[in-house]
Amino acid sequence: MTTKPTGERKPGVRPRAVLALEDGTVFEGRSFGNAGEVTGEVVFNTALCGYQEVLTDPSYAGQVVTMTYPHIGNYGVNLEDVESARPQVAGFVVREASTVVSSWRASGDLGRYLDEHAIVGIEEIDTRALTRHLRTHGAKRGVVSAIDDDPASLVAKARASRSMVGLDLAREVTCKAPWTFDPRSEGAGRASHLVPVLKGTDAHRPRDGDAPLRVVAYDFGMKRNILRNLAAAGCVVTVVPATTPAAEALALGPEGVFLSNGPGDPEPCTYAIEAARTLVERLPVFGICLGHQILGLACGGTTYKLKFGHRGANHPVKNLQTGQVEITSQNHGFCVDPKLFERPELVLTHVNLNDGTVEGFRMRDRPVLSVQYHPEASPGPHDSHYLFEEFVSMMRARREGR
């Protein structure tokens, strides 16, 4: 199937570009950002805003991200709404890329930002049709090109590109050496992204006179807002590379360990699974996204690839312990198999209300909690910020010998 660009072609506009999927589906549009060529797994995100946070989320490494909201780029880009040092996506797909920027915070426009960071984009394609295709047939390997316009050639390139299954991308996006997060480097513009204390409780605030809680955070592709949340909760965070052995992490003297989000298939991350097995026996541990999957594997479970994944800022998750429903931000293509919770030492705590998949678990007799979604959001709702509070409470209980 081939779809033509939407709207009329006008003189002086951006050059033609093509998106081709491994199953032979081809979309024609126009280039924006870098006029090059890139391959990756084509996925979709349903968030209405937050495209700069999406672009800079390392969990999207190796993926061509389609935004389902039709008008992207209207508030431009800025120096504050970033989740890593640069855009991480392989490519970017939108219905219409705005050339007019309307925000007092903007420092530039989206197209130029992508071009400066060599990110290949395509616009003026039917993103509704593409999303329906991916929902029906599953996420596909694809190629976006402003260089080659031969459909057969592009489909062949898509089929020859690497599969996400079995792909260890955490090694590619992790930091190179340990470093300590300094919240003062984030700037005043990020104040609104720090953890809002839940009404009726002050447990999330650092206590006056308390020494900061020492946390070692494994960087599998970590978003910056996780670090901001941990710092706002009274933690001093040392970030370590994904391949750090448990003994080296413990030698830093942490009171808790955080396992971050990240891209790719969790099963090849054997180094992280092995470290997690040791760490859960020694310290409070909190995992999200890829870190959650790694904890599941460390506890003896398995993971599997979802048909088209969960990516967006409006996914409903039920907390089985409270009965409350949280609207969550998500970005993942793999999931923990629920058979894991046949083990009596593990407790399923959260499920996805759209498809019933695993969204969180705890260890019954150890201070370990884990969720599949993103409680730090950015972009997304703040319903799940309480999880940082619970992690802090576990560390304080250990410090006080309770």
Side-chain angles (χ1 to χ4, degrees):
M1 179 179 76
T2 301
T3 66
K4 298 295 183 181
T6 54
E8 295 182 2
R9 193 177 296 259
K10 299 178 182 179
V13 298
R14 301 181 181 105
R16 181 171 180 262
V18 180
L19 165 64
L21 304 180
E22 62 179 296
D23 63 4
T25 304
V26 177
F27 294 84
E28 294 182 8
R30 293 176 184 162
S31 171
F32 86 108
N34 183 265
E37 181 176 291
V38 69
T39 61
E41 182 184 48
V42 182
V43 299
F44 62 89
N45 184 297
T46 58
L48 304 185
C49 61
Y51 52 80
Q52 190 171 3
E53 292 94 329
V54 169
L55 288 166
T56 55
D57 180 354
S59 292
Y60 282 114
Q63 295 181 319
V64 176
V65 179
T66 304
M67 300 301 293
T68 61
Y69 189 73
H71 194 206
I72 300 296
N74 56 306
Y75 56 84
V77 296
N78 59 67
L79 301 178
E80 298 166 354
D81 293 346
V82 294
E83 291 301 323
S84 63
R86 58 180 176 79
Q88 304 284 344
V89 300
F92 202 47
V93 182
V94 301
R95 166 63 181 86
E96 181 181 353
S98 176
T99 56
V100 177
V101 174
S102 301
S103 174
W104 64 271
R105 299 174 69 237
S107 59
D109 66 81
L110 176 60
R112 185 174 302 172
Y113 178 72
L114 294 179
D115 191 25
E116 288 173 351
H117 292 279
I119 303 298
V120 177
I122 183 171
E123 67 161 329
E124 298 199 10
I125 73 166
D126 190 342
T127 51
R128 292 177 301 176
L130 173 58
T131 299
R132 288 173 65 91
H133 186 82
L134 297 176
R135 280 182 58 87
T136 301
H137 302 286
K140 301 292 180 186
R141 289 174 295 169
V143 57
V144 178
S145 180
I147 300 171
D148 184 356
D149 62 1
D150 176 26
S153 170
L154 292 172
V155 170
K157 290 176 183 177
R159 292 172 179 169
S161 63
R162 59 185 185 175
S163 171
M164 195 61 67
V165 176
L167 188 58
D168 178 3
L169 286 174
R171 287 181 184 268
E172 298 182 17
V173 299
T174 191
C175 59
K176 303 301 182 186
W179 60 283
T180 299
F181 176 69
D182 181 0
R184 295 172 299 179
S185 67
E186 295 298 289
R190 292 303 309 199
S192 63
H193 292 259
L194 296 177
V195 183
V197 178
L198 299 177
K199 291 181 180 179
T201 176
D202 62 358
H204 207 159
R205 301 178 193 265
R207 297 176 181 176
D208 291 341
D210 274 4
L213 293 158
R214 302 182 305 278
V215 173
V216 164
Y218 273 75
D219 178 13
F220 303 126
M222 183 160 43
K223 292 170 63 181
R224 301 282 288 191
N225 208 41
I226 291 170
L227 296 172
R228 299 180 194 112
N229 275 264
L230 290 171
C235 301
V236 172
V237 187
T238 300
V239 182
V240 298
T243 56
T244 303
E248 291 184 16
L250 293 170
L252 296 172
E255 295 173 275
V257 173
F258 179 82
L259 305 180
S260 85
N261 63 293
D265 188 341
E267 291 193 355
C269 301
T270 53
Y271 49 87
I273 298 166
E274 181 180 350
R277 286 196 186 106
T278 299
L279 293 168
V280 297
E281 296 177 354
R282 302 285 298 276
L283 293 170
V285 178
F286 180 22
I288 71 165
C289 197
L290 183 63
H292 158 85
Q293 296 160 10
I294 286 169
L295 275 174
L297 292 166
C299 291
T302 59
T303 57
Y304 63 95
K305 195 173 190 302
L306 294 166
K307 184 176 181 180
F308 49 82
H310 299 160
R311 297 174 183 88
N314 60 347
H315 289 255
V317 168
K318 185 174 183 178
N319 184 326
L320 299 178
Q321 298 181 313
T322 66
Q324 292 183 321
V325 175
E326 304 164 23
I327 304 303
T328 68
S329 182
Q330 303 208 7
N331 172 20
H332 63 103
F334 291 82
C335 194
V336 173
D337 193 312
K339 292 180 182 178
L340 174 64
F341 306 105
E342 296 172 1
R343 295 170 176 258
E345 68 271 23
L346 300 172
V347 180
L348 177 66
T349 58
H350 298 76
V351 296
N352 189 295
L353 290 182
N354 286 335
D355 59 12
T357 53
V358 173
E359 292 285 0
F361 72 90
R362 292 175 180 267
M363 297 189 77
R364 194 178 300 276
D365 299 320
R366 291 177 182 166
V368 175
L369 71 143
S370 179
V371 291
Q372 179 61 78
Y373 52 92
H374 286 262
E376 84 288 348
S378 190
H382 297 162
D383 295 20
S384 305
H385 274 145
Y386 69 90
L387 290 162
F388 289 96
E389 176 183 328
E390 293 191 9
F391 181 44
V392 165
S393 295
M394 291 191 307
M395 290 188 287
R396 283 186 179 144
R398 180 180 180 275
R399 175 185 282 186
E400 295 165 7
R402 291 186 278 115

